[in-house]
Amino acid sequence: MTDARPIAIFDSGIGGLTVLAAVRRRLPAERFLYLGDTARLPYGTKSAETVVRYAARAASFLAGHGIKLLVVACNTVSASALPALEEAMDVPVVGVVTPGARAAAAVTRGRVGVIGTESTVASGAYGRALRAIRPEVETVARACPLFVPLAEEGWWDHPITREVAALYLEPFAGGRVDTLILGCTHYPLLRPAIAAALGDGVRLVDSAEAVAGEVAALLAEAGLDAPGNGGVRLMVTDAAARIARIAGLILPGAPVPLELVDLPD
Ligand code: DGL
């Protein structure tokens, strides 16, 4: 059995293109519909109530496009709004927190660091997900708000980014954790700077890669794989030139045009 309906990938902005890139590498035959709510970005500094409201609006817009699966690429939304979205949607919803926590639980020797937006860290979602799998695992979490603008500036391995990473990641360095979850869409872009700040011996867990594995397994199990003519449509709620530039940095190769859309109430 195959299913040609697209997979929707939703994020607060275009950082979720790191998740699209990972899922697409894994499932090149699928059609993808990406929605970045760039007009309301950032979500990571907003209250959980606001994040739930924004996410519900985006999900109902995507449901209107005949999708077969919703991937919530945004860690902030996955941490605060996943139950609400699961209830509202009649297709499977995959967030990034559980796959990321599973990937970390599979490799850690017992001490896991979590980095994310202020909202993701305040939610405690990664710690809960990890303890549900391995109750003995200890977690330490820290918000790294400057990483998002640094990633969007294209300063992925810039000396300033290395300095900021050294300051933010100080609580994790020196063997205090053995695994670090990159709990934000933008952080995989800063991997070299993050790895340099931590030194050898700390495994970096990228939720984007973990979610790609989860989506592939779910589609195969449900017999929902695509028949084989993949493609990507990128929709954003604000299409400033800056956003197109960052999208080009994250998704190099043939440029995909950004479609401007409005999310009805
Ligand atoms: N997409 C968000 C996340 O993964 C980061 C950007 C934002 O704050 O909206 O948490």
Side-chain angles (χ1 to χ4, degrees):
M1 217 166 65
T2 58
D3 188 330
R5 289 176 299 165
I7 296 175
I9 301 197
F10 164 57
D11 181 37
S12 55
I14 29 96
L17 292 177
T18 56
V19 176
L20 169 67
V23 182
R24 195 171 157 213
R25 260 194 311 275
R26 185 82 180 234
L27 299 165
E30 294 292 338
R31 288 166 57 217
F32 294 97
L33 202 59
Y34 182 92
L35 173 65
D37 194 6
T38 43
R40 292 170 190 83
L41 180 87
Y43 282 17
T45 50
K46 305 217 160 64
S47 68
E49 292 72 23
T50 299
V51 171
V52 170
R53 194 156 43 85
Y54 286 178
R57 207 185 322 188
S60 111
F61 171 82
L62 288 165
H65 284 74
I67 59 172
K68 63 179 168 187
L69 179 83
L70 173 63
V71 176
V72 179
C74 182
N75 287 259
T76 302
V77 173
S78 297
S80 310
L82 209 66
L85 295 183
E86 281 167 342
E87 201 171 305
M89 300 292 286
D90 49 19
V91 294
V93 180
V94 177
V96 283
V97 171
T98 304
R102 264 197 210 123
V107 296
T108 183
R109 293 189 305 278
R111 292 185 63 83
V112 177
V114 180
I115 53 174
T117 64
E118 284 159 299
S119 170
T120 298
V121 167
S123 77
Y126 272 106
R128 269 195 307 282
L130 266 163
R131 281 189 298 277
I133 307 164
R134 282 186 53 187
E136 82 287 5
V137 169
E138 285 175 41
T139 57
V140 194
R142 171 142 210 206
C144 305
L146 290 177
F147 279 174
V148 168
L150 287 168
E152 297 201 342
E153 200 55 39
W155 290 6
W156 296 352
D157 197 17
H158 188 281
I160 287 180
T161 309
R162 285 193 172 229
E163 235 173 274
V164 172
L167 287 171
Y168 274 149
L169 303 178
E170 202 272 328
F172 306 113
R176 275 171 278 185
V177 300
D178 60 76
T179 302
L180 182 76
I181 297 179
L182 307 180
C184 174
T185 46
H186 290 60
Y187 298 177
L189 302 169
L190 308 182
R191 193 182 251 274
I194 292 171
L198 292 171
D200 291 340
V202 179
R203 268 175 195 263
L204 300 185
V205 169
D206 174 351
S207 306
E209 291 299 337
V211 90
E214 185 110 346
V215 170
L218 201 146
L219 291 183
E221 203 173 298
L224 294 177
D225 287 315
N229 42 4
V232 181
R233 220 176 125 187
L234 300 183
M235 299 184 292
V236 289
T237 51
D238 179 78
R242 165 184 178 76
I243 292 182
R245 180 178 60 79
I246 306 159
L249 282 176
I250 303 177
L251 275 192
V256 180
L258 294 181
E259 291 173 42
L260 186 61
V261 298
D262 199 14
L263 303 183
D265 283 325

